[in-house]
């Protein structure tokens, strides 16, 4: 399986506060993962501190090699 996290920081990288905002997103959503089974198909929309949708995390099947 793969855990994929995509966050759109916008043209201004969260108005120059990318480190703070990404840290908050990772802490919040990392703590929230316990509410999921962590199986392919699980995922959720990600919001920034202003409650704007900025991305998504998903669990997918691993690529066949």
């Amino acid at each position: 399986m793969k855990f994929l996290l995509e966050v759109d920081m916008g043209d201004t990288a969260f108005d120059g506060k990318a480190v703070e905002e990404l840290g908050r997103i990772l802490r919040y959503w990392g703590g929230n993962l316990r509410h999921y089974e962590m199986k392919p198909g699980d995922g959720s929309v990600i919001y920034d501190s202003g409650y704007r949708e900025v991305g998504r995390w998903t669990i997918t099947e691993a690529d066949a090699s």
Side-chain angles (χ1 to χ4, degrees):
M1 293 189 301
K2 286 187 177 185
F3 178 86
L4 304 171
L5 172 69
E6 183 175 9
V7 177
D8 183 349
M9 298 188 298
D11 294 336
T12 65
F14 292 123
D15 297 325
K17 297 184 180 182
V19 171
E20 294 90 345
E21 191 65 33
L22 289 172
R24 188 203 67 78
I25 287 168
L26 290 169
R27 282 189 307 278
Y28 179 83
W29 292 102
N32 195 43
L33 291 175
R34 67 176 184 229
H35 300 290
Y36 296 88
E37 292 184 51
M38 301 305 286
K39 61 180 180 21
D42 281 349
S44 183
V45 172
I46 295 174
Y47 299 94
D48 67 6
S49 59
Y51 300 102
R52 294 174 294 260
E53 186 176 321
V54 294
R56 178 167 191 78
W57 69 264
T58 56
I59 302 290
T60 66
E61 295 286 348
D63 292 337
S65 300

